[in-house]
Amino acid sequence: MNVIPQGVRDRFSAALDPLARLLIRLHVRPNVVTTLGTAILFAAATAFALGRVRWGGFLVLLSGLFDMIDGRVARQGRMTTTFGAFYDSTLDRVGEAVLFTGIALYFLRGGIAADRLTLAVVACLWALAASLLVSYTRARAEGLGLSAKVGIAQRAERIVLLGAPTWWFGAGAGGTLLFWIVVALALTTMITVVERVAYVARTAGGSGAPSGPSGPVAPGGPVAPGGPASRRPPHARDTLPGRAPALQSQKGS
């Protein structure tokens, strides 16, 4: 289940094509765009930590645009590389870690009532761990030749859920709005992890293939190199609207 319909993702993504073409004409490398997007997430985390919650929400949404554009620049500019995909996925995880750290610091610096402080910090840690697991479950499944593109809180949904309300309304009275946003992120992201685990369990269970040290093998023994079991789809990361799988949209350095 995708909360953001694919049609909406496609239309929004297509609207960014002129900007992607401009960056290509200016010879901007995709990894530069990726790096700038992560720098914006660092700025968002700093804004949250300092209590500038509206700025934090705006910067989170802005970083999402960069996260969409870098892949389009790579594909349309024919600058795809394996390292570019790896770099993009790694910086996404770094950005999430920094972002939730900034929100936790906001709570610790008096942004939430004292009776909710412990729960607020735990929710930040839970949301961070779950967001990392969402990416890991998909990457691990696809490394085993399966697909796990399911879930109610994929990367696009998480960015919109955090960025839009805080940009428009701030943290709310006594940090209440931001607190409940983080709680919602923690819950929905963990549900997404469970959805992906259940999906892989159903898919792998239905195949009936035993599992070897490197993943599923065909009945009767391993398949020779180049056989069907060895043909795994390229690794793909959680993406924003309109983004293709990671190695399909590899970016240059």
Side-chain angles (χ1 to χ4, degrees):
M1 173 185 176
N2 290 331
V3 174
I4 301 177
Q6 188 60 45
V8 174
R9 296 171 185 255
D10 292 341
R11 287 193 295 272
F12 191 78
S13 180
L16 295 176
D17 279 342
L19 179 56
R21 289 193 291 267
L22 174 62
L23 293 174
I24 292 170
R25 287 197 298 270
L26 295 175
H27 304 289
V28 177
R29 303 292 298 181
N31 278 0
V32 173
V33 181
T34 301
T35 303
L36 289 175
T38 304
I40 292 172
L41 268 185
F42 271 77
T46 301
F48 278 116
L50 296 178
R52 309 293 186 183
V53 176
R54 282 192 170 89
W55 272 108
F58 169 75
L59 291 170
V60 166
L61 293 176
L62 182 61
S63 73
L65 294 178
F66 277 76
D67 195 31
M68 294 172 63
I69 292 171
D70 56 3
R72 303 192 77 78
V73 170
R75 293 191 301 274
Q76 296 178 17
R78 298 182 180 180
M79 294 180 281
T80 60
T81 67
T82 299
F83 174 73
F86 170 82
Y87 184 70
D88 181 32
S89 186
T90 300
L91 287 194
D92 281 345
R93 309 291 82 78
V94 171
E96 288 177 336
V98 170
L99 181 60
F100 283 108
T101 298
I103 295 173
L105 285 175
Y106 169 76
F107 290 141
L108 289 169
R109 289 167 55 89
I112 193 75
D115 59 339
R116 283 184 173 174
L117 177 59
T118 300
L119 182 57
V121 174
V122 169
C124 285
L125 296 175
W126 187 1
L128 172 58
S131 68
L132 297 179
L133 281 171
V134 164
S135 299
Y136 174 79
T137 50
R138 177 172 172 179
R140 188 69 181 111
E142 292 180 341
L144 294 172
L146 304 172
S147 176
K149 300 178 182 179
V150 300
I152 62 172
Q154 300 183 59
R155 185 168 171 80
E157 286 82 356
R158 298 198 302 270
I159 285 196
V160 171
L161 177 59
L162 176 60
T166 52
W167 180 29
W168 293 333
F169 304 111
T176 302
L177 177 60
L178 183 56
F179 168 76
W180 285 113
I181 288 173
V182 174
V183 169
L185 280 171
L187 292 173
T188 57
T189 308
M190 188 55 70
I191 289 172
T192 301
V193 173
V194 174
E195 286 180 302
R196 291 186 172 183
V197 171
Y199 177 82
V200 171
R202 291 194 304 269
T203 304
S207 67
S211 179
S214 300
V217 298
V223 176
S230 66
R231 294 172 188 164
R232 297 174 180 170
H235 169 73
R237 56 176 287 277
D238 224 359
T239 59
L240 282 171
R243 290 290 302 276
L247 288 186
Q248 184 179 340
S249 58
Q250 297 165 336
K251 300 192 299 301
S253 55

